[in-house]
Amino acid sequence: MAKKNKQPEIDFYYMNYGQASNDEKDEKAKRKKAKEREKRIKENRAKQEESFDIDTETVIQMTNRNKIKQEEQRKRKLTQEEKRKKIRNKKIIIVLEILLLLGAIIGGITFAMVSPIFNIKEIQVVNNNHINSETIISLSEMQLDENIFRFNSGKVIKKIKENPYIKNVKIHRKIPNTIQIEVEERQHAYSVDFLGKYAYVDKQGYILEISEDNMQKMILQGIETKEEQVLEGARLNEEDLKKLEDVIKIMNATKEYELDTKVTSIDITNKNEYSIYLEQEKKKVYLGDNSNLGNKMLYVNAIIEKEKGKQGEIFANGDLNNKFRVYFRESLNV
C-alpha cells in the first residue's frame, strides 16, 4: 500500500489566542483614548467654569454690541457718503450745464452785437395822432444802420417823453432789423388864458403847449398857478389840480343833459363859487360849490329850454336841500 502524505497540523489554539490578544489591545487603546478625551473635556469645562465672570461677560457683550453698533455706523457713514457723492456729482453736472448755457448765450449775444444782420433798417411809430412820426424819431435819436441791441431803450423813452404830449412810450425790437415805437399821447382838454395866449392843458393838469389859438376848447379862468410856472411840460400847482377834479365833475354833470359841448368857459377862481358860461345860449350859470351837481344841472337844463333865446344868468348856487330854488335873471343889457 502506498503511503499517504501526512498533512501538517494547524494549531487553532495559537491562532485563536493571537487574534484575541490583538483585539484586546485595540479595545484597550480605544478605551484609553475615550478616557483621555473625556478627561480633556472635563478639564476644559472646569477651566471655563473657573474663568467665568459676570462683569467680564458683560464687558464682552458690551464690546460685541459696540462692534455691531460701529459696524452699523460705518455702513450708515458709507451710505451718507454715497448720497453726498451723488449730490456733489449732481451739482457739478448742473454747474457744467449752466456754464454751457451761459457760453451759448454769450456767444449768441456777441454774434447779435456785431452782425450786420441786426442793423436797424426801419423805425416805425404807432398810435401817434398829434405828434408826427418824424418828430418822435428825431427825439429818440436812433439812427438807421445802428445795431438793434446797442441802444439803451430807457434813455430813448426818456428822450421821447421830453415832448409834453407824450404820456407813455414802449420800444419794441422786431428781429432782425426793425424798431417799433409805441406811444400814448396826452389829450388837450382845456385852454388857460395866459398873457394874451392860451396854454393847452390835459385832464391831469399837464401843460402841453402854449399857443395864440385856443382850438375852440373850453377855457379855464382864474387859475392860481403863477405865470412864470406856466411852461410846456410843467403842471398846474396843487390848488389848481384840486379844482381841476371839480371841473371834471362839473363837465360830467353837464354831459348828462348834452350841455358839455355848449360850455365855453369855467371860472375856478373860488372853489365855492364855480360858474360856467354857455356862449351859444348867452347864459352864465352860477353853480356854487361842487355839491348836488346832478340836481343843479337838472334845473339849469329846464331853465335853458324855457328861456330859449334870452340872455341872462342862472343861479344854482344855493342849498337845494334847504328849500333853495334855481332861478333865471334876464339881462337887460342886450
Side-chain angles (χ1 to χ4, degrees), residues 90-136:
K90 189 173 181 180
K91 288 181 178 179
I92 291 171
I93 292 171
I94 292 173
V95 170
L96 289 175
E97 289 177 347
I98 292 173
L99 290 174
L100 289 172
L101 180 60
L102 287 175
I105 292 172
I106 292 170
I109 291 173
T110 303
F111 173 76
M113 295 292 283
V114 299
S115 174
I117 296 173
F118 299 103
N119 287 352
I120 300 173
K121 299 301 179 185
E122 183 181 5
I123 301 175
Q124 303 172 347
V125 181
V126 296
N127 293 343
N128 57 314
N129 295 308
H130 186 79
I131 306 299
N132 61 53
S133 298
E134 290 73 17
T135 300
I136 293 173

Side-chain angles (χ1 to χ4, degrees), residues 34-35 45 62 79 166 235 301:
K35 288 179 179 180
R45 189 175 297 166
M62 290 180 66
T79 304
I166 304 301
R235 201 176 184 191
N301 185 57

